[in-house]
Amino acid sequence: MSKPQHFHFVLLFSTVVVALAAIANATAATSITPRFKEAPSFYNSPDCPLIIDENHGFSILFSDQAVHVAMTLDTAYIRGTVAAILSILQHSSCPQNIAFHFVASADASLLRATISSSFPHLNFLVYPFYDSSVSRLISTSIRSALDCPLNYARSYLANLLPSCVHRVVYLDSDLVLIDDIAKLAATPLGDNSVLAAPEYCNANFTSYFTSTFWSNTYFSLTFANRKACYFNTGVMVIDLDRWREGDYTTKIEEWMEVQKRKRIYELGSLPPFLLVFAGNIVPVDHRSNQHGLGGDNFIGLCRDLHHGPVSLLHWSGKGKPWARLDANRPCPLDALWEPYDLLQPKTPFALDS
């Protein structure tokens, strides 16, 4: 083969390889994100306020009158996120007055398109979260799933969201609401508190930190004069103005730096929140966090509801309802999540008799 012919052959071969790689990448991107059907449209009740800005234009995403909701967005939990969004809209009196703020560290365009196709009229923005901004601070925990940088995005909401957003409800993706989110968003924070969350003072608080922490006089004095209790960071109402004024992101990062040197805890993104806020939060009614529903199902152990009224069901823990339903090994309470699942097609399931 002559040199010109060889050159054209190599060029053609390279072009084909590049084209095939592009097709493969597009196919991979499509395959990692499941398909969801379009949700029904939801409209405000007649007594909902009409939110308009000073220029008489709609601006739900930046309005004080809106209910602002923040969630993370990734391919692993997108099915849960879609179900959570549907549950919020379905039980809201003013669904058109809800603004969603999604934080994504990868596949942002694909995830944005997924949300748009399932909820064409949803008021939402997607904010990029760069793993490098926190990965240097993350220490390995007892579960590798807890080491994902996106788990730490809740610590950066005050930096990511616009300064005109003053209060936000942060929610995990493994939950559904069965009450109006406006009730949770209106939780009074008093004169000084930065956040409200479901608090559990019967939990063994000392277990969230290592013996290295408790044996160090300086560290253990962190909770002096504070009635420190465990609280769940998967359901929080946050005053972003107070967070910014107190520079609480920096305070959390400082404890993460201590963790890198001293190994003072084992549980990922939760302990830094406890170190900064435990004992100084407003407790949210436990009806707003029926938690622990993701209890280990591998040996047939399923959790029941706690006593009392229920506003929110939270599958915190290792087991997620969509995974158990797909494996045809659901817990009874997973049937309460299934009606909000927009995946298409869905795997039929049946509860064991």
Side-chain angles (χ1 to χ4, degrees):
M1 183 182 295
S2 65
K3 287 186 178 180
Q5 289 176 317
H6 177 72
F7 173 80
H8 288 304
F9 174 80
V10 171
L11 182 61
L12 177 61
F13 178 79
S14 300
T15 303
V16 171
V17 169
V18 170
L20 289 173
I23 293 171
N25 289 336
T27 302
T30 302
S31 64
I32 61 175
T33 304
R35 295 184 60 187
F36 301 94
K37 63 184 179 182
E38 184 176 326
S41 297
F42 298 94
Y43 301 97
N44 285 353
S45 59
D47 58 344
C48 293
L50 178 63
I51 299 179
I52 55 176
D53 66 14
E54 58 186 10
N55 297 316
H56 305 291
F58 291 94
S59 58
I60 305 294
L61 289 162
F62 309 105
S63 171
D64 272 344
Q65 299 179 68
V67 172
H68 293 275
V69 179
M71 303 179 74
T72 56
L73 202 59
D74 66 349
T75 53
Y77 280 81
I78 184 65
R79 190 170 168 187
T81 305
V82 169
I85 296 168
L86 177 59
S87 73
I88 292 168
L89 297 175
Q90 184 169 315
H91 295 284
S92 172
S93 299
C94 304
Q96 293 174 289
N97 290 359
I98 302 175
F100 287 87
H101 303 267
F102 298 114
V103 181
S105 61
D107 304 306
S109 297
L110 192 61
L111 293 165
R112 182 185 294 109
T114 300
I115 298 298
S116 294
S117 63
S118 293
F119 304 97
H121 306 294
L122 194 71
N123 305 303
F124 78 95
L125 291 172
V126 177
Y127 304 82
F129 181 72
Y130 300 103
D131 291 354
S132 57
S133 63
V134 70
S135 56
R136 64 181 177 82
L137 296 171
I138 296 176
S139 303
T140 56
S141 59
I142 59 173
R143 287 171 51 198
S144 59
L146 300 176
D147 300 336
C148 173
L150 196 59
N151 285 340
Y152 294 81
R154 71 195 82 189
S155 304
Y156 295 87
L157 292 177
N159 300 339
L160 294 168
L161 273 58
S163 59
C164 57
V165 178
H166 306 293
R167 173 183 284 227
V168 70
V169 178
Y170 173 81
L171 297 173
D172 277 349
S173 296
D174 54 355
L175 54 77
V176 294
L177 271 82
I178 52 177
D179 201 354
D180 196 329
I181 194 171
K183 298 177 183 178
L184 178 61
T187 302
L189 292 177
D191 295 330
N192 301 305
S193 294
V194 177
L195 62 85
E199 189 177 53
Y200 302 90
C201 291
N202 59 341
N204 181 8
F205 188 77
T206 58
S207 67
Y208 290 96
F209 302 95
T210 64
S211 57
T212 300
F213 176 87
W214 293 115
S215 62
N216 183 298
T217 304
Y218 176 79
F219 292 157
S220 60
L221 285 175
T222 301
F223 299 110
N225 304 316
R226 289 161 60 180
K227 186 183 177 183
C229 298
Y230 158 74
F231 63 90
N232 191 294
T233 56
V235 178
M236 294 188 290
V237 181
I238 305 173
D239 186 314
L240 294 176
D241 289 337
R242 292 178 183 175
W243 184 293
R244 293 170 182 128
E245 290 168 5
D247 195 15
Y248 285 100
T249 296
T250 297
K251 289 178 171 63
I252 288 174
E253 288 184 335
E254 288 172 349
W255 277 115
M256 293 174 68
E257 289 172 350
V258 172
Q259 162 72 353
K260 293 286 285 188
R261 300 193 305 269
K262 299 290 187 177
R263 194 69 181 179
I264 57 175
Y265 56 79
E266 303 284 357
L267 279 173
S269 63
L270 170 64
F273 263 85
L274 297 180
L275 287 161
V276 174
F277 294 110
N280 291 324
I281 71 165
V282 172
V284 167
D285 193 301
H286 287 183
R287 74 172 64 193
S288 293
N289 189 42
Q290 284 275 343
H291 69 128
L293 303 185
D296 196 342
N297 191 42
F298 290 104
I299 58 174
L301 177 63
C302 293
R303 300 286 181 88
D304 200 357
L305 290 177
H306 310 294
H307 295 295
V310 181
S311 295
L312 183 150
L313 299 167
H314 192 179
W315 278 262
S316 55
K318 294 181 182 179
K320 303 307 174 188
W322 55 89
R324 297 194 294 218
L325 289 166
D326 286 352
N328 205 25
R329 294 191 302 176
C331 287
L333 291 179
D334 294 345
L336 299 177
W337 180 89
E338 195 274 338
Y340 302 100
D341 185 14
L342 292 179
L343 183 73
Q344 59 174 8
K346 286 195 283 187
T347 304
F349 76 95
L351 290 172
D352 293 337
S353 58

